[in-house]
Amino acid sequence: MTTTPISLTTTPLDPSTVAVALAGEIDLCTVARIEPELTLLAGSAERELTLDLTDVTFCDSSGVELFLRMHRRCVAAGVRLKLCRIQRLPARVIRTLGVDRTVLCSFA
């Protein structure tokens, strides 16, 4: 069995904002690997958690559900979640399922 590739790189932008660059595919397998760390990061951000999706090549409904769960966690913590630089294929899923009507999104 092969493992779906995903990587997560964290960069504090300033004391109140945490930026996370995701690279690879966001699917059922990778969500289980990245959600615990994203949850911790949401709790450590003071104002904003930015997920940079420049290098995300695929996102299925599991990824969409992850973004919506992260949005709820961020709202509960008083933190804004922002998805940025969303590429063409993940953008199609995010727009089709209406995530961009709930979560702040910027598209490539």
Side-chain angles (χ1 to χ4, degrees), residues 9-69:
T9 306
T10 305
T11 307
L13 294 180
D14 60 52
S16 63
T17 303
V18 175
V20 179
L22 295 170
E25 300 178 5
I26 302 175
D27 61 17
L28 183 62
C29 294
T30 60
V31 163
R33 295 197 323 253
I34 63 174
E35 187 168 9
E37 189 165 353
L38 289 176
T39 300
L40 287 173
L41 292 168
S44 69
E46 291 178 21
R47 259 192 3 206
E48 182 173 287
L49 175 62
T50 299
L51 302 183
D52 182 339
L53 305 182
T54 301
D55 295 319
V56 171
T57 57
F58 176 81
C59 179
D60 69 6
S61 61
S62 300
V64 168
E65 290 177 22
L66 169 67
F67 297 145
L68 293 173
R69 283 193 304 273

